[in-house]
Amino acid sequence: MKNLYRMLVATVLLTGANTMADAQIQGLINRGKQAVKREATKEAKKQVKEKGMDALTKIAGKESSYTANGHEYTQKGTLSIKTYNPAATGMVTFTNVPSNYEEFEELYTEFLGKTPYGTAAMMPMAMAIYGRDRAEGEKCIRLINYSSNVSSVLSQLKEKFGTNSYAPENDSYYQPYLPAAVLEGATPENAYTPKYPYTVNMRASVNKHQDMQLYDGRVMYIYMMGKGWDTEQRSVEIIQVNEGDLFKVFNCPSLYTQCKRIKGTWEGLK
């Protein structure tokens, strides 16, 4: 840009007063100076922003752990509700599905609910609890889901986890192993047996964050990775109404969409 400015001044001076008045020459020079200044300011701001993002990524990417009821939970990630980063990721590991609602609530309010990826990873936990105990599971689902999403989750899980004359236990629609389909290492071929400790891997969606005026909050989109479907990325929408609030699941139909039929017998999760 500086070289361009020098060439511009030199060209104007060479043309002489015969082709342009002095005032026009000075105006052109001034505009050239302003253009250089704007570009320099823009570049400086860009560098500051990039350095800030790098620092934020390093801080946010640190692993943190929490123990509840003797169970170990760990989270690590760079997925942020404030800024969209297409390369951002998230990971949550756990040694056990929470034993009951009390443990689940503690885990949510004290640890995982404070990050978008931690909250997203609690959905398969809540689904697994629902599979064991409908009442406990429903309380867990209501706790971490935005109010508008609760009824659709419960109605779908009731069908996927329940049996009747239309969907007996040997029917492919009956899929109590759905919570394991998004855990690392679980595939239909190995009867959805995940690696241990259990791991949920996530990454940024191609969809950027949206400010939802109707719902008074900001929504971000996360891909939860799983081998239970041909399209391995499962989209989960996370909302935060006010800065500092715990995150909630805004929408997650991909998590209870029928997955590939199991080959073998599912042993369940710890």
Side-chain angles (χ1 to χ4, degrees), residues 84-86 204-210 219-223 235 237:
Y84 173 75
N85 177 3
S205 166
V206 295
N207 299 311
K208 295 183 178 181
H209 304 355
Q210 287 191 39
V219 171
M220 70 178 297
Y221 304 86
I222 294 175
Y223 285 146
S235 182
E237 300 172 23

Side-chain angles (χ1 to χ4, degrees), residues 59-77:
I59 294 172
K62 289 184 177 180
E63 185 176 283
S64 57
S65 299
Y66 187 82
T67 302
N69 196 29
H71 301 153
E72 296 292 331
Y73 302 91
T74 300
Q75 64 176 327
K76 178 182 179 180

Side-chain angles (χ1 to χ4, degrees), residues 8 15 47 162 196 219 260:
L8 177 63
T15 60
Q47 291 179 6
Y196 188 82
V219 171
K260 295 178 181 178

Side-chain angles (χ1 to χ4, degrees), residues 127-143:
M127 291 166 64
I129 294 171
Y130 182 86
R132 298 172 182 175
D133 186 307
R134 298 292 188 269
E136 289 278 291
E138 180 173 337
K139 287 195 294 183
C140 294
I141 289 165
R142 289 187 181 278
L143 176 67

Side-chain angles (χ1 to χ4, degrees), residues 11 30 33 53 65 117 119 136 149 156 169 189 197 211 221-223 251:
T11 302
N30 290 339
K33 288 180 178 179
M53 284 294 293
S65 299
Y117 46 90
T119 303
E136 289 278 291
N149 194 45
Q156 288 296 316
E169 195 165 333
E189 289 74 23
D211 291 315
Y221 304 86
I222 294 175
Y223 285 146
N251 199 21

